[in-house]
Amino acid sequence: MTDHTVRSFSAELEELSGDIARMGGLAEDLLSDAIQATVSRDAALAETVVVRDALVDALQVEVERKILRLLALRQPLARDLREVIAALKIAAELERIGDLAKNIAKRAKLIDLMEPGPALKGLSRMGRLVNAQLKRVLDAYSAMETAAAAKVWTRDEEVDEHYMSLFRELLTYMMEDPRTISGCAHLLFVAKNLERIGDHCTNIAEEIHFLVTGETLTTERPKVDVLANN
Amino acid sequence: MNRVDHAAIKASDSDVRRPDGGPTADPRIKVKTRGVSVFYGDKQALFGVDLDIDEKSVTALIGPSGCGKSTYLRCINRMNDTIEGCRIEGSIEIDGEDIHDRSIDPVLLRARVGMVFQKPNPFPKSIFDNVAYGARIHGLASSRKELEEIVQSSLEKAGLWGEVKDRLGQPGTSLSGGQQQRLVIARAIAVRPDVILMDEPCSALDPIATAKIEELIDELRFNYCIVIVTHSMAQAARVSQKTAFFHLGKLVETGPTELIFTNPRESRTQDYITGRFG
């Protein structure tokens, strides 16, 4: 697209998508480190995740401040307007992803004190999948590719399936040996957090679709109902 | 967020004709233009504009300077007739009636289709006489009392009555710019028009006077068909229900205002309203 007649406006919009990319990169790092800390039971790494989440929060505040200013001073319209609104919403999604990664890291510090659970392998697989989803959706945002975003959106079904099987697995361990309940409950929350992060990725995918096309993704996303199967 | 339904918009834009092929059957369409081209001597200013303007609503015409939006506006009350060497092609119907028909008196047409200009142009007369002028020459009042009623109700509709009721004898030019513009609107309303054309009515006004005119336009739309030319995107977005974008003498895109400003179909519209032109 050609530049605005007022070039500083184009620069501000670019700056905004740059901020989102930075937030995304940070969230990605937090997530992969939180998973790594859980799987390898690394309390020190987990602690850095807890600390670094503040950076994501600070960036979100910064993005919101910039958008407030941009709306007041530039009154963006059409695609520009959608771009700004999408940035505002994606920043909020990334901030939530950071929080969930922090929560995983906090639990990793507790799991560290306990016996390694047998479910860690499954958790690690699910973590890799969710991480890949986040990476893909961020790439789709950078490239403004709605097809790539739509793929992330449909692939969330896989994340849900992983969550469901982990849920069943952990339930079995807890029934077999009540001493594992405390550890498994933490792992269950970790899995739930990963599943939530997957949902935030689909929200970002929806924002990308709206940004590019001006239309909302309305078809029902395939869902796996965990509760119905147990 | 509203889902964009281009199909529905297209349907409402399509011309509805009576089975006998007669004039517009859709009562919602007040002004209907087909293939309107305007030439100033050899220079063509408008190229085959097809546009339906809805009854009791505000239609905004936007576009860069020289795009033909004012030329189009001036076609609707045959103001272009007064320009030497100006030629108009195509058909313009108001309520299904061809305004170029020989039976149409341009003076009466201009009473039905009022116009408000960029700069307020009160007559060098009192506030009362400014508003009463048109009613007098068109013989709309049979007594002084009736005339006074017309003046009062017109000033009330224009939101000016409270400010001028104690000084009706003072010259119209003694009012502030914003008040003068509302006086001119009252003058237009006094002759009971169906259509009110506004050519950048707020461009000479401060933000408060502009807000008052916009508020007035919003009230008037319940009784009149209003067509407004504006250079302010924000104003077009605020006051109109339908927006038409002109560029280089052509109508590029028309649709519900909300849609034009959030998700226009044409890239030229997109470029213009986001400030990327040139």
Side-chain angles (χ1 to χ4, degrees):
Chain A
M1 203 179 291
T2 49
D3 260 5
H4 289 88
T5 309
V6 181
R7 262 174 293 167
S8 53
F9 185 9
S10 295
E12 283 172 23
L13 283 176
E14 269 169 41
E15 200 182 308
L16 202 57
S17 60
D19 286 342
I20 296 294
R22 263 167 60 211
M23 266 189 94
L26 281 173
E28 236 182 291
D29 289 349
L30 291 185
L31 177 58
S32 64
D33 287 351
I35 296 162
Q36 179 62 33
T38 311
V39 175
S40 61
R41 303 187 307 129
D42 183 342
L45 182 61
E47 180 55 30
T48 72
V49 172
V50 174
V51 174
R52 282 184 291 156
D53 176 53
L55 291 174
V56 180
D57 293 353
L59 254 177
Q60 192 212 1
V61 172
E62 179 69 9
V63 165
E64 278 180 0
R65 191 189 60 77
K66 280 181 185 167
I67 288 174
L68 205 62
R69 182 177 174 278
L70 211 142
L71 288 174
L73 303 188
R74 306 287 190 197
Q75 289 106 39
L77 287 170
R79 184 174 168 132
D80 294 342
L81 178 60
R82 302 201 303 268
E83 217 168 296
V84 172
I85 296 301
L88 184 66
K89 294 176 86 175
I90 291 174
E93 300 289 346
L94 291 172
E95 190 273 334
R96 284 301 299 149
I97 290 176
D99 284 353
L100 291 166
K102 182 170 83 172
N103 187 274
I104 292 174
K106 279 181 176 170
R107 293 180 192 281
K109 288 200 304 193
L110 298 171
I111 298 166
D112 184 39
L113 306 170
M114 298 175 289
E115 283 297 300
L120 284 179
K121 234 183 209 157
L123 205 63
S124 155
R125 258 203 313 276
M126 184 178 177
R128 274 200 304 275
L129 177 66
V130 172
N131 218 343
Q133 285 281 84
L134 180 56
K135 186 181 178 326
R136 276 193 215 106
V137 85
L138 290 170
D139 287 348
Y141 176 74
S142 303
M144 293 290 163
E145 273 190 18
T146 130
K151 232 181 217 165
V152 171
W153 196 70
T154 37
R155 278 194 73 169
D156 187 58
E157 197 181 4
E158 253 177 78
V159 176
D160 291 349
E161 279 165 3
H162 265 274
Y163 173 63
M164 197 176 77
S165 75
L166 264 174
F167 180 88
R168 285 184 177 152
E169 196 181 337
L170 288 163
L171 219 56
T172 319
Y173 295 138
M174 289 191 271
M175 285 191 285
E176 274 174 5
D177 182 359
R179 282 171 302 174
T180 66
I181 285 178
S182 165
C184 284
H186 280 302
L187 291 181
L188 203 52
F189 273 111
V190 170
K192 183 66 197 169
N193 285 345
L194 288 176
E195 189 270 334
R196 290 297 307 148
I197 291 173
D199 288 347
H200 287 298
C201 291
T202 65
N203 289 350
I204 295 174
E206 284 170 18
E207 289 310 322
I208 295 168
H209 184 83
F210 172 70
L211 192 171
V212 176
T213 64
E215 293 175 32
T216 43
L217 266 176
T218 46
T219 36
E220 195 62 25
R221 194 160 51 79
K223 282 220 170 85
V224 180
D225 194 341
V226 177
L227 300 175
N229 290 293
N230 284 281
Chain B
M1 250 160 278
N2 285 334
R3 197 176 138 69
V4 181
D5 193 345
H6 287 303
I9 292 145
K10 221 170 178 181
S12 76
D13 271 357
S14 69
D15 46 341
V16 183
R17 285 188 168 269
R18 286 203 307 236
D20 60 2
T24 322
D26 191 339
R28 289 168 307 174
I29 296 171
K30 186 77 186 175
V31 182
K32 177 173 174 159
T33 60
R34 287 294 176 271
V36 172
S37 295
V38 176
F39 302 84
Y40 294 119
D42 294 334
K43 195 184 169 292
Q44 188 168 0
L46 265 191
F47 298 80
V49 174
D50 298 339
L51 182 62
D52 291 337
I53 296 169
D54 295 342
E55 168 76 322
K56 295 188 179 20
S57 82
V58 182
T59 301
L61 311 182
I62 60 168
S65 295
C67 69
K69 55 192 189 301
S70 290
T71 299
Y72 177 80
L73 192 74
R74 295 160 62 92
C75 286
I76 301 172
N77 67 348
R78 290 181 59 178
M79 283 276 288
N80 287 325
D81 289 13
T82 60
I83 298 170
E84 186 114 8
C86 178
R87 186 161 57 83
I88 298 163
E89 286 175 4
S91 84
I92 303 168
E93 289 173 3
I94 296 178
D95 290 331
E97 205 175 5
D98 183 358
I99 66 164
H100 289 107
D101 193 274
R102 282 171 59 192
S103 66
I104 299 274
D105 177 352
V107 175
L108 292 178
L109 173 73
R110 285 172 205 142
R112 274 177 70 199
V113 185
M115 187 141 185
V116 176
F117 296 88
Q118 192 165 356
K119 273 201 178 147
N121 54 349
F123 300 143
K125 290 170 179 292
S126 70
I127 293 169
F128 183 92
D129 287 338
N130 258 284
V131 183
Y133 185 83
R136 274 199 189 112
I137 59 167
H138 289 293
L140 297 178
S142 58
S143 66
R144 173 77 191 179
K145 193 170 174 297
E146 258 184 62
L147 192 63
E148 280 171 2
E149 276 169 16
I150 289 174
V151 169
Q152 179 172 347
S153 80
S154 303
L155 283 168
E156 277 170 355
K157 281 181 199 150
L160 194 59
W161 177 249
E163 289 160 62
V164 301
K165 63 174 192 277
D166 300 324
R167 47 196 275 212
L168 293 173
Q170 288 180 18
T173 47
S174 68
L175 298 171
S176 73
Q179 288 173 326
Q180 286 185 21
Q181 198 64 305
R182 279 180 282 148
L183 177 66
V184 172
I185 292 172
R187 191 176 66 195
I189 291 171
V191 293
R192 299 183 196 141
D194 301 330
V195 182
I196 303 174
L197 310 176
M198 298 185 175
D199 195 350
E200 294 181 54
C202 301
S203 60
L205 304 182
D206 72 22
I208 293 171
T210 299
K212 283 186 183 162
I213 299 283
E214 287 181 4
E215 172 69 14
L216 174 59
I217 292 172
D218 206 42
E219 281 167 24
L220 293 177
R221 80 178 158 95
F222 293 104
N223 294 306
Y224 303 93
C225 163
I226 298 172
V227 188
I228 178 171
V229 163
T230 176
H231 274 140
S232 160
M233 298 299 122
Q235 180 168 70
R238 282 192 300 262
V239 302
S240 73
Q241 286 75 54
K242 197 168 164 181
T243 296
F245 170 59
F246 285 75
H247 186 224
L248 300 174
K250 288 180 181 132
L251 175 66
V252 175
E253 181 169 358
T254 172
T257 296
E258 190 190 319
L259 204 54
I260 297 283
F261 287 101
T262 55
N263 194 15
R265 279 170 285 177
E266 300 288 330
S267 61
R268 269 185 295 169
T269 317
Q270 165 91 21
D271 284 351
Y272 179 65
I273 65 172
T274 59
R276 285 182 164 89
F277 238 71

